Amino acid sequence: MVKTDQLNPLKNLGNDLPASVVVFLVALPLCLGVALASGAPLFAGIIAGIVGGIIVGLISGSALSVSGPAAGLTTIVLSAIDSMGSFEAFLVTVVIAGFIQLVLGYLRAGSIGNYFPSAVIKGMLAAIGVILILKQLPHAVGFDRDFEGDESFFQSDGENTFSELAEAIGFISPGAFLICAISLIILIVWDKPFIRRSRFAGKIPAPLLVVFSGIMINKAFKLSNASWQIDKDHLVSLPVSKDFAGFVSNFTFPDFTVLTTSNCWIVAFTIAIVASLETLLSIDAVDKLDPFKRTSPLNLELKAQGISNIFSGLLGGLPVTAVIVRSTANISAGARTKTSSIVHGILLLLAACLIPSLLNSIPLSSLAAILLMVGFKLVNPTLIKNMFRKGWDQFLPFAITLAAILLTDLLIGISIGILVGLFFVLKTNFRRSIVSVHHNGNYLIRLTKDVSFLNKALLRQTLREIPNGSNVIIDGTKPAFIDQDITETITDFRDGALSREITVEIKQSITATHPIFKV
């Protein structure tokens, strides 16, 4: 049972405010990276992060999820901008996609999120953990050719996750590597019980200390050893405006002259469907990670995402979804309510306005260390052991989902995982729907649950193997539904039983939708 205090934002500021700083530091480079990958202005990523934090945070019923621009949409956005002819035209599709999501919310389409198997969701979380580790290792050693937040296996530059790692070995920056190593030590030590119990640790979250340490160490490199100094290519890169007019100039507004073109609506529906699926998957995963096991209202979440995408498109931002990477960072940092998400959006806005130069001194290797720890917690060995102990019908969907997401992307991997999970569900129901036992020439064929045409082959095989001269009881009292294919199979067996000297007794429920024989 969740206590009232656990839901009261005012009584949880001590947890939420430090967590918002952590999420802000993680979200900032991700917003820039997704924009870069999407072929959009960098500031479009910041706008989406601000809108996702503030507007979704205010409307959504999810306590811990964080929304913003998603790496899973980069390919769609990149091709959409090209097909629409301009970024301004593309923004119209984002606005329309928001209205579509709003309609889906009112149509109560959010319930689709309840049909994803638990093993697949856990596989998705583990995959995100592995991706975080693999994608952040290059940043940890100072190889920042690719943007933060790249979650696809195959990349636009022809590299893939593993070839990128191999190439990074030849570009190790001693300064970045040392900062990441020290950052990891801080994160590990800060998580020890004797540190967590101290008042000092409670007031200063480890990720914040990591960022501050990274900045100070790099300044020390600059003063003592220029060769180890981290240059601007390995630091956070936020657009710097000289004045308010320059800040306002970063906003781009939609070109509604394309509203009547068919391509505009096709792109809008694509963005709406993909963004909605990614949001629902992320929300389901976040609810499983919530220490208080709260359940988010999915239809309200679709409405919140729809409204945020309308605003994001109107202001020149990228499409917004609930994002699992930022959400897990939020949970790991100790957030309890959606105040953390809202404040992180406000921090993005203030940072873009007031202190871009200061933020641009944060080493990417410091942020990589934070995400490496988040990734490890998502894919820790205990989780894998527990899934293996649950049996193959749970472990294989988990493992295949993990591998598929790692080698493709989030949506394709989830789709493969669901198909595998569905296969095991059908297999289990297929085998357990019909039970056969026998003793001394007496056979009992029991239909244990509702049976359909999928069970026909197994039933035929079972009946075919009954030897001549046997006594057979077919018990159909359990199912409320018996498919016509099953009744015909049993009727054919009964009609041919006399020639084989087999006696057949049939028991059935008079309430069955399709009784074996009409009473």
Side-chain angles (χ1 to χ4, degrees):
M1 181 67 68
V2 180
K3 297 180 181 179
T4 304
D5 285 357
Q6 293 169 348
L7 300 175
N8 189 329
L10 294 178
K11 294 186 177 181
N12 285 284
L13 291 177
N15 297 90
D16 292 333
L17 292 182
S20 69
V21 176
V22 173
V23 178
F24 158 71
L25 293 171
V26 171
L28 179 62
L30 294 178
C31 290
L32 297 171
V34 171
L36 181 63
S38 302
L42 292 182
F43 197 67
I46 298 293
I47 293 171
I50 294 169
V51 171
I54 298 175
I55 295 181
V56 175
L58 288 172
I59 302 173
S60 170
S62 176
L64 299 177
S65 69
V66 181
S67 296
L73 285 171
T74 53
T75 304
I76 294 173
V77 173
L78 184 64
S79 61
I81 293 174
D82 181 63
S83 67
M84 292 302 299
S86 69
F87 182 66
E88 291 80 3
F90 164 75
L91 293 175
V92 179
T93 68
V94 179
V95 175
I96 297 173
F99 279 109
I100 294 171
Q101 287 184 294
L102 194 57
V103 171
L104 290 175
Y106 280 106
L107 292 177
R108 311 183 72 82
S111 59
I112 191 175
N114 297 322
Y115 296 98
F116 294 102
S118 175
V120 173
I121 298 299
K122 291 179 181 178
M124 180 188 77
L125 288 170
I128 293 295
V130 174
I131 289 170
L132 282 174
I133 293 171
L134 294 177
K135 294 296 186 181
Q136 295 307 313
L137 283 175
H139 299 295
V141 300
F143 182 65
D144 301 305
R145 171 184 297 178
D146 284 315
F147 46 84
E148 291 277 349
D150 176 10
E151 293 179 9
S152 297
F153 181 74
F154 294 104
Q155 298 165 189
S156 57
D157 59 0
E159 301 287 343
N160 61 53
T161 300
F162 299 119
S163 66
E164 190 90 349
L165 284 173
E167 189 173 355
I169 295 174
F171 293 89
I172 295 177
S173 167
F177 180 78
L178 181 60
I179 287 176
C180 183
I182 294 174
S183 299
L184 286 172
I185 291 172
I186 292 173
L187 291 168
I188 293 171
V189 171
W190 225 247
D191 204 35
K192 297 297 181 182
F194 71 92
I195 295 290
R196 286 206 308 264
R197 286 193 294 264
S198 68
R199 293 182 180 178
F200 179 72
K203 294 180 179 179
I204 302 179
L208 186 59
L209 182 61
V210 162
V211 169
F212 178 76
S213 300
I215 294 173
M216 298 310 296
I217 292 171
N218 193 39
K219 287 187 179 296
F221 289 157
K222 184 177 181 179
L223 295 173
S224 61
N225 190 341
S227 64
W228 280 37
Q229 179 186 354
I230 300 176
D231 59 37
K232 64 179 183 179
D233 291 335
H234 306 301
L235 303 174
V236 168
S237 178
L238 189 67
V240 178
S241 302
K242 295 181 179 180
D243 50 31
F244 183 74
F247 176 72
V248 172
S249 68
N250 290 320
F251 289 89
T252 307
F253 302 102
D255 175 14
F256 286 102
T257 60
V258 299
L259 194 60
T260 57
T261 63
S262 59
N263 187 49
C264 174
W265 290 87
I266 292 172
V267 171
F269 271 98
T270 302
I271 293 173
I273 298 302
V274 175
S276 298
L277 286 174
E278 187 157 344
T279 289
L280 294 174
L281 289 170
S282 297
I283 292 295
D284 194 7
V286 169
D287 285 350
K288 292 183 185 302
L289 293 174
D290 184 355
F292 304 119
K293 302 304 177 187
R294 290 164 286 191
T295 301
S296 302
L298 298 178
N299 295 315
L300 178 60
E301 187 64 32
L302 285 180
K303 296 174 186 177
Q305 296 292 333
I307 293 172
S308 69
N309 274 317
I310 293 171
F311 275 94
S312 186
L314 290 173
L315 295 173
L318 294 174
V320 173
T321 75
V323 187
I324 189 62
V325 174
R326 270 157 272 189
S327 300
T328 51
N330 189 38
I331 295 169
S332 298
R336 289 193 174 186
T337 75
K338 57 184 181 180
T339 300
S340 174
S341 175
I342 297 171
V343 174
H344 119 274
I346 295 172
L347 290 175
L348 282 173
L349 176 60
L350 293 176
C353 293
L354 306 176
I355 56 169
S357 298
L358 176 61
L359 296 175
N360 288 348
S361 63
I362 300 174
L364 291 177
S365 56
S366 295
L367 301 179
I370 296 171
L371 291 175
L372 284 171
M373 286 302 297
V374 172
F376 178 76
K377 290 179 180 180
L378 286 174
V379 70
N380 65 80
T382 303
L383 169 67
I384 298 174
K385 290 179 182 178
N386 290 338
M387 293 304 298
F388 184 76
R389 288 170 182 165
K390 290 182 178 181
W392 291 109
D393 59 335
Q394 290 292 306
F395 182 74
L396 280 180
F398 165 81
I400 291 173
T401 301
L402 191 161
I405 292 175
L406 180 62
L407 296 176
T408 56
D409 59 35
L410 182 66
L411 291 175
I412 294 176
I414 282 288
S415 301
I416 293 172
I418 290 173
L419 289 175
V420 174
L422 181 61
F423 168 77
F424 278 98
V425 168
L426 292 175
K427 179 182 177 183
T428 300
N429 287 331
F430 177 74
R431 289 293 177 186
R432 294 179 181 175
S433 294
I434 299 174
V435 176
S436 174
V437 294
H438 62 89
H439 179 70
N440 292 334
N442 297 307
Y443 283 77
L444 172 63
I445 311 296
R446 175 167 290 153
L447 310 182
T448 62
K449 57 178 70 175
D450 293 353
V451 283
S452 69
F453 69 93
L454 296 173
N455 306 102
K456 182 169 66 173
L458 177 62
L459 178 61
R460 282 186 173 180
Q461 179 182 350
T462 301
L463 296 175
R464 192 182 302 118
E465 292 174 352
I466 295 175
N468 296 344
S470 300
N471 298 313
V472 178
I473 297 176
I474 299 176
D475 184 357
T477 58
K478 295 285 185 182
F481 172 81
I482 299 176
D483 199 343
Q484 290 284 2
D485 288 279
I486 300 299
T487 62
E488 289 178 6
T489 299
I490 294 175
T491 300
D492 292 342
F493 172 75
R494 185 204 60 174
D495 292 344
L498 184 61
S499 63
R500 297 175 56 191
E501 299 181 347
I502 296 176
T503 60
V504 179
E505 179 184 352
I506 297 176
K507 298 179 179 180
Q508 60 186 331
S509 170
I510 61 173
T511 62
T513 305
H514 289 295
I516 301 171
F517 298 110
K518 293 183 179 180
V519 178

